[in-house]
Amino acid sequence: MAMSNLYLKMSTKPTSKRLESMISQSNGWMNADVFSNGSLNNSPPFASNLQGAHSHLHSVSQKDTGGLLQVMQPASNPGSPPPSPPLASPIGQGGTSDPNWQALKPTVRERNAAMFNNDLMADIRFVVGSPGCTQVIPAHKYVLATGSSVFYAMFYGGLAECKEEIEVPDVEPSAFLILLKYLYCDEIQLEADTVLATLYVAKKYIVPHLARACVNYLETSLTAKNACLLLSQSRLFEEPELMQRCWEVIDAQAEMALKSEGFVDIDMSTLESVLSRETLNCKEMNLLEAALNWAAAECGRRDMEATPQNKRAMLGNALYLIRIPTMTLEEFANGAAQKGILTQQETIDIFFHFTANNKPSLQYPIKARAGLKSQICHRFQSCAYRSNQWRYRGRCDSIQFSVDRRIFVVGFGLYGSSNGAADYSVKIELKRLGRVLAENNNTFFSDGSSNTFHVYFDNPIQVEPETFYTASAVLDGGELSYFGQEGMSEVTVGQVTFQFQCSSESTNGTGVQGGQIPELIFYGPTHDEH
């Protein structure tokens, strides 16, 4: 199954690096001794999916991503000269032009590092890169063979060939140099522009520590804006942990993920996985619009006009994964039915599904998605009210918290009036290091009981582990209120442990031991991920 060629970009710098690949159905392990022209004929499961494949490239204009990680397709000119090696240490620059250079490097590591990308004593050369953009990189068989079982088989296996040059057309020169830098120097130098290409080469030559570093780099860069494209890549690279992290973000922040620019560049298999996902936390109309945006982009990649008929053809059976009958009648009548994507008979049948007692059979699922179940962190063991003790005067109630696992904050639970029913308006905020991540102005009705009342942000906010965030609320309404008592500095909910500390922004008395904001509402892991 062919995948679109996807590229990683996290900075505003343009990139011309290529990552060409194709997924095959093969799952067998390689015989590491079998080579042809200095390259492996068979590979482990990952390499067998990617080796030697050059799938069709679609040009995508370079865009300023504002520092956000984004997988992009290449926009390079195949005829342009290759870039200069970023990590080279040639003779005269790496300290080996001195005939007594060894005496200046007291450790094995320093002497080994001096040989990195160095012609001195090199006994093999790699011609790396696609035709027209190649770079010749010298290397030393012994160093490579001690760091990679694939290189060992290539140079010292039973069917090893004595070649002076080995062509590696499917690898970026910059990524190959990062691999060699690690093998020679024990240094890992990852950059957003090259991390996916580096993951590819680390998998190709079975260097697991470097591959793990690449995956960790990608996980820390994961947001709703790049989760779908990284999901495509994690499927390609057979990285189940990265896939799980991507799904966590996509499930919790589905609307933002579906509206991201990169969503239209995912492959068909990933699109089908997203559309069939039971735990997506979004409206079905958002899924339909995202699918149509993807179909329009696919029409453009195939030089076709993006008519409703062509978009439907691009989606194929994936259209039937959208649960159109679970929309509201208004959403369907004013939205889905107006898109021109449904046949006349489908439109009539779905209208009958909404209105008739005798409902027609439909090809679309009629059961709504389960979505995500929110969890609640209760930080007080009890609550109370005392006359004239707790009042709202437009002051800020605030608390700081950290977690040990990535979560997505949905909103807060708040106390209301202790003096009869009352309406409240409230401004809630979530900050990190003084920067506002999300805010919302909301209202709620308090019935005068000690129950908490939930207020929500427009979208869930991703909260990373091991850093403090500030939750704040400014209420306006009935002054006398319930307040929390017997506060806890540490609370565990499911698989997530919360730590609380007082906030300097709190001007109305809220702290760890007592006060307002008794609950944090969030999406998070609910089971062990091993």
Side-chain angles (χ1 to χ4, degrees), residues 8 19 38 58 64 68 99 116 179 200 215 227 270 275 317 327 352 367 372 401 409 418 425 491 513:
L8 188 72
L19 182 61
H58 310 297
D64 186 337
L68 294 171
F116 165 64
L179 170 71
Y200 173 85
V215 171
T270 303
L275 296 181
N317 289 332
M327 298 177 181
F352 277 135
K367 182 181 178 182
L372 286 178
F401 70 94
V409 171
S418 61
S425 61
V491 181
Q513 297 300 318

Side-chain angles (χ1 to χ4, degrees), residues 400-445:
Q400 285 193 318
F401 70 94
S402 69
V403 290
D404 62 346
R405 304 281 293 273
R406 174 186 286 140
I407 65 169
F408 301 85
V409 171
V410 178
F412 306 148
L414 301 174
Y415 289 125
S417 172
S418 61
N419 192 30
D423 289 308
Y424 286 90
S425 61
V426 57
K427 178 181 180 181
I428 57 174
E429 281 187 341
L430 187 66
K431 295 181 181 179
R432 180 184 182 184
L433 301 176
R435 184 171 69 89
V436 177
L437 301 178
E439 63 181 3
N440 197 20
N441 293 302
N442 218 318
T443 60
F444 69 90
F445 171 74

Side-chain angles (χ1 to χ4, degrees), residues 127-353:
V127 182
V128 185
S130 56
C133 298
T134 60
Q135 181 177 332
V136 178
I137 299 175
H140 306 80
K141 294 180 180 179
Y142 168 77
V143 176
L144 272 57
T146 57
S148 161
S149 59
V150 175
F151 283 130
Y152 177 83
M154 186 182 295
F155 302 136
Y156 301 106
L159 299 179
E161 296 187 24
C162 298
K163 290 194 169 188
E164 294 183 359
E165 287 191 349
I166 295 176
E167 294 184 358
V168 190
D170 59 326
V171 171
E172 288 283 347
S174 56
F176 197 82
L177 285 166
I178 292 171
L179 170 71
L180 296 192
K181 185 79 170 179
Y182 170 67
L183 296 179
Y184 278 80
C185 311
D186 268 345
E187 295 179 14
I188 298 178
Q189 299 178 348
L190 297 178
E191 296 180 359
D193 287 343
T194 57
V195 64
L196 276 177
T198 304
L199 177 58
Y200 173 85
V201 73
K203 290 273 192 173
K204 178 182 175 74
Y205 293 107
I206 312 181
V207 183
H209 185 70
L210 179 59
R212 184 68 251 169
C214 292
V215 171
N216 289 341
Y217 186 102
L218 291 171
E219 286 183 358
T220 60
S221 307
L222 185 59
T223 69
K225 293 186 177 181
N226 58 49
C228 290
L229 278 170
L230 282 182
L231 177 65
S232 288
Q233 292 296 327
S234 60
R235 290 162 61 95
L236 172 68
F237 291 125
E238 297 180 354
E239 282 292 340
E241 290 186 16
L242 181 57
M243 285 179 62
Q244 176 61 30
R245 298 295 179 268
C246 290
W247 278 125
E248 288 176 6
V249 174
I250 294 169
D251 281 342
Q253 298 179 307
E255 291 192 13
M256 289 189 288
L258 294 173
K259 292 177 181 178
S260 64
E261 291 185 11
F263 180 82
V264 299
D265 293 323
I266 64 177
D267 62 288
M268 171 59 84
S269 177
T270 303
L271 175 68
E272 291 174 338
S273 296
V274 172
L275 296 181
S276 61
R277 185 78 171 171
E278 181 68 23
T279 46
L280 282 183
N281 189 47
C282 71
K283 295 181 178 180
E284 217 63 31
M285 192 64 213
N286 296 124
L287 273 173
L288 177 60
E289 291 173 346
L292 293 179
N293 290 338
W294 181 91
E298 186 67 13
C299 286
R301 290 189 282 266
R302 301 191 186 195
D303 296 324
M304 299 168 60
E305 185 181 356
T307 63
Q309 293 76 18
N310 286 341
K311 287 190 283 189
R312 176 160 183 149
M314 294 301 99
L315 288 172
N317 289 332
L319 180 63
Y320 298 115
L321 299 174
I322 303 173
R323 306 183 186 190
I324 296 176
T326 68
M327 298 177 181
T328 66
L329 177 58
E330 183 180 358
E331 284 178 327
F332 176 73
N334 296 322
Q338 305 288 337
K339 299 291 185 181
I341 196 73
L342 302 176
T343 66
Q344 184 178 21
Q345 188 60 51
E346 285 175 331
T347 303
I348 294 172
D349 286 345
I350 295 175
F351 267 121
F352 277 135
H353 173 81

Side-chain angles (χ1 to χ4, degrees), residues 434-499:
R435 184 171 69 89
V436 177
L437 301 178
E439 63 181 3
N440 197 20
N441 293 302
N442 218 318
T443 60
F444 69 90
F445 171 74
S446 172
D447 59 8
S449 72
S450 61
N451 296 330
T452 57
F453 304 91
H454 293 175
V455 293
Y456 299 97
F457 293 103
D458 288 335
N459 293 291
I461 303 102
Q462 182 170 313
V463 167
E464 296 296 336
E466 312 305 336
T467 186
F468 273 95
Y469 292 75
T470 303
S472 301
V474 177
L475 287 93
D476 185 21
E479 284 192 358
L480 291 175
S481 168
Y482 286 90
F483 59 93
Q485 296 184 131
E486 301 178 279
M488 296 172 285
S489 60
E490 181 177 304
V491 181
T492 297
V493 183
Q495 301 298 315
V496 183
T497 297
F498 289 77
Q499 299 280 347

